[in-house]
Amino acid sequence: MKISIVGAGNVGSLAAFHIVREGLGEVVLLDVAGALAKGKALDLEDACAHLGVPYHMTASDDISALRDSDIVVITAGFARKPGMTREELLDKNAHIVKDLSLAIKKHAPRSIVIVVTNPLDVMTYLVLRYTAFFPSKVFGMGPSLDAARFRNLISQAVAVSSRDIETTVIGTHGESMLPLPRFTYVKGIALDEFLDDKQVQSLLQRTKERGKEIVSFLGTGSAYFAPSLCVAELVSAIAKDQKRTIGVSALLQGEYGLKNVCIGVPCLLGGSGIEKIIELKLNGSETAALTQSAESLRALITRIP
Ligand code: NAI
């Protein structure tokens, strides 16, 4: 299995480490920035030697090195700075993602593409547009990160291991994300058995703002420890045909009453990519919020030249 990671920055290089460490395949690490990928790859080689795990990685600044990849992860582009929203990255990153999509279509026409670059849902939509791949082959990582953050905050609030907490986050990976308390359980028990409405609302808000909070402390760049793990989780689901149910940004074609928009929803993931989009039974206010979330994305999409 050949797995190419485009963008050897914080998220890309750390994701490469997890993927190599797990032995998921041969990794190609790519970056336009001169010998950056080469330097990261050598460092990772030392790390693997130290751990005693096999090292299967090459590095390049030539995009054609992704030729015949089975999986391509796009982590190339700008990350936000303090005070910025993910949506404000649109203009800068749309050009990068367009060029990369055309290169992927040319060199790796049978690949499954995992998009990470922000603003996530719009970038996923652009990759679909420019590769013209089947919608099951292109999806974005974001909802699983938001779900992990929600899980962590609930775990702290109820003092139960995060391993026993199941969370669901849908909608955009952005300002209008929708963590869903009605689909959140602590070892099968509904969240409202543990927390009152005010406490839940506070956790929802903190989940939505977690990325911003991290960026404000980092000063430059955005989160990468949790994001890179979430990338590796998706690669693993495909490489090992795991049939996992994970939230990703996927193209909706009538599901949830929405069409022609990539947005976060739970999906069944396996060796062929998205094997099923799972439709939760949303109530009226959840449906309205998801529809509004989709409208905010459409407004962004129309801004792209
Ligand atoms: P970073 O700045 O550390 O790395 C980005 C890398 O992309 C740089 O090394 C740069 O040289 C490279 N690059 C730029 N244009 C390229 C091109 N055309 N081809 C190959 N490489 C290119 O940024 P970081 O922290 O790794 O984040 C990357 C992206 O992922 C950002 O857009 C960020 O907002 C996004 N992100 C998304 C998350 C999600 O949940 N979807 C979570 C965290 C970050």
Side-chain angles (χ1 to χ4, degrees), residues 2-47:
K2 178 170 173 179
I3 303 158
S4 292
I5 301 180
V6 190
N10 285 333
V11 178
S13 55
L14 201 47
F17 182 43
H18 299 311
I19 291 164
V20 169
R21 196 174 181 179
E22 280 188 52
L24 297 176
E26 296 278 338
V27 174
V28 179
L29 190 59
L30 283 146
D31 202 290
V32 278
L36 177 76
K38 183 74 186 162
K40 299 264 180 133
L42 290 182
D43 190 8
L44 285 173
E45 186 182 316
D46 293 343

Side-chain angles (χ1 to χ4, degrees), residues 28-95:
V28 179
L29 190 59
L30 283 146
D31 202 290
V32 278
L36 177 76
K38 183 74 186 162
K40 299 264 180 133
L42 290 182
D43 190 8
L44 285 173
E45 186 182 316
D46 293 343
C48 288
H50 182 68
L51 290 167
V53 298
Y55 174 78
H56 297 291
M57 188 187 289
T58 51
S60 181
D61 59 1
D62 176 359
I63 196 69
S64 67
L66 59 71
R67 188 179 309 283
D68 297 332
S69 294
D70 299 290
I71 301 174
V72 179
V73 181
I74 302 180
T75 64
F78 294 91
R80 60 185 167 152
K81 298 192 169 74
M84 277 177 93
T85 64
R86 296 180 181 93
E87 287 77 357
E88 285 174 284
L89 294 167
L90 177 69
D91 298 329
K92 284 175 157 186
N93 286 345
H95 294 289

